[in-house]
């Protein structure tokens, strides 16, 4: 299986801060990488698909980049409603696998 | 707006079979993959497998010997069966639609709220 390693596991930032999460794949996955947001007690929500494409209806403060094995996800200006756990997911090789998640908190 | 709803028993005894149903409304079940994902309490997401509307399946090798998925397009339902369950199968189980782009890439764009299944005697 392809291992997806997210960093950091958790972070605390102030409202308005720029927040970046990284995701590293154990082998080349091209751009087959999605990002999801999961709030407590809720299902994950698709934010970014194919590494850098913003899902319809998702605020533009969310963005993604990367190719191959190294990817990043950025919130340009953290908002209180962004408190959640964020997951990367590869869809290049079966089984699809997720990163372990990054919990984002407000400082 | 597509809506996805999981249903089934919330408690299953060890060694028995977990059976869940995913009902789709507000959109077509055809031409999409329907994916099952689970999440143990406080932990990350595990992909169980997926089924296309025609019945084609892909399963996680770690669960393949115990998993069966089926689809009933007339009822707009997808089903998951997981046999010989153990305590480690206790989790919230999600059903999600997987859209496939012309390029072949995919994304899980509509999710159910999830259903907690506890394996215990």
């Amino acid at each position: 299986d392809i291992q997806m390693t997210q960093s950091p596991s958790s972070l605390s930032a102030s409202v308005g801060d720029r927040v970046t999460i990284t995701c590293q794949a154990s082998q080349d996955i091209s751009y087959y990488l999605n990002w999801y947001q999961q709030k407590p007690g809720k299902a994950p929500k698709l934010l970014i698909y194919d590494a850098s494409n913003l899902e319809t209806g998702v605020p533009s403060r969310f963005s993604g980049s990367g190719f191959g094995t190294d990817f990043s996800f950025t919130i340009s200006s953290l908002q209180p409603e962004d408190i959640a756990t964020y997951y990367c997911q590869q869809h290049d090789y079966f089984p699809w696998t997720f990163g372990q998640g990054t919990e984002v908190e407000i400082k | 707006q597509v809506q996805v709803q999981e249903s089934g028993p919330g408690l299953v005894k060890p060694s028995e079979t977990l059976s869940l149903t995913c009902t789709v409304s507000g959109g077509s079940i055809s031409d999409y993959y329907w994916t099952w994902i689970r999440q143990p309490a406080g932990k990350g997401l595990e992909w169980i497998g997926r089924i296309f509307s025609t019945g084609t399946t892909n399963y996680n090798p770690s669960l393949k010997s115990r998993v069966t998925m089926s689809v009933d397009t007339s009822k707009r339902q997808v089903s998951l069966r997981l046999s010989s369950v153990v305590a480690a199968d206790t989790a919230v189980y999600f059903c999600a639609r997987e859209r496939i782009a012309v390029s072949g890439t995919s994304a899980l764009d509509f999710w159910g709220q999830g259903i907690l299944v506890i394996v215990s005697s």
Side-chain angles (χ1 to χ4, degrees):
Chain A
D1 297 3
I2 293 182
Q3 305 302 314
M4 305 300 293
T5 303
Q6 282 183 240
S7 183
S9 298
S10 65
L11 66 89
S12 181
S14 300
V15 172
D17 281 355
R18 183 181 184 88
V19 168
T20 297
I21 299 167
T22 63
C23 179
Q24 185 170 59
S26 59
Q27 64 186 76
D28 190 332
I29 57 168
S30 184
Y31 59 93
Y32 298 114
L33 190 285
N34 301 329
W35 290 95
Y36 300 87
Q37 174 195 64
Q38 186 179 32
K39 296 184 177 181
K42 301 294 186 181
K45 174 187 175 182
L46 176 66
L47 299 181
I48 302 288
Y49 64 94
D50 296 348
S52 61
N53 295 290
L54 192 68
E55 177 70 353
T56 301
V58 173
S60 59
R61 64 180 180 274
F62 297 102
S63 64
S65 64
F67 186 89
T69 60
D70 295 305
F71 301 86
S72 64
F73 171 83
T74 297
I75 307 172
S76 61
S77 177
L78 185 67
Q79 300 302 304
E81 60 266 33
D82 300 336
I83 300 313
T85 300
Y86 294 83
Y87 293 93
C88 60
Q89 175 238 334
Q90 67 82 19
H91 55 94
D92 194 12
Y93 296 97
F94 290 121
W96 297 166
T97 48
F98 293 84
Q100 81 277 17
T102 295
E103 188 174 1
V104 175
E105 300 177 335
I106 295 287
K107 190 182 295 183
Chain B
Q1 179 79 334
V2 174
Q3 293 190 334
V4 179
Q5 180 71 57
E6 305 89 349
S7 60
L11 181 64
V12 181
K13 290 183 168 57
S15 80
E16 295 190 346
T17 296
L18 177 161
S19 295
L20 297 176
T21 298
C22 172
T23 303
V24 180
S25 59
S28 176
I29 195 172
S30 299
D31 300 327
Y32 291 98
Y33 278 97
W34 298 91
T35 298
W36 289 95
I37 290 160
R38 69 182 182 178
Q39 184 174 38
K43 296 189 177 181
L45 300 161
E46 180 181 27
W47 184 82
I48 299 170
R50 67 179 189 175
I51 184 166
F52 194 62
S53 52
T54 56
T56 300
T57 57
N58 301 100
Y59 297 146
N60 191 324
S62 68
L63 298 168
K64 187 174 183 177
S65 63
R66 299 195 290 133
V67 170
T68 304
M69 294 181 186
S70 59
V71 59
D72 186 332
T73 54
S74 65
K75 293 183 178 179
R76 299 177 124 187
Q77 291 180 335
V78 175
S79 297
L80 167 70
R81 288 171 59 85
L82 181 66
S83 65
S84 305
V85 296
V86 296
D89 294 314
T90 294
V92 174
Y93 286 75
F94 294 101
C95 177
R97 189 183 83 168
E98 181 178 350
R99 70 166 187 244
I100 307 293
V102 173
S103 62
T105 65
S106 77
L108 302 167
D109 61 353
F110 286 97
W111 295 64
Q113 65 187 22
I115 182 169
L116 173 62
V117 178
I118 297 172
V119 177
S120 175
S121 55

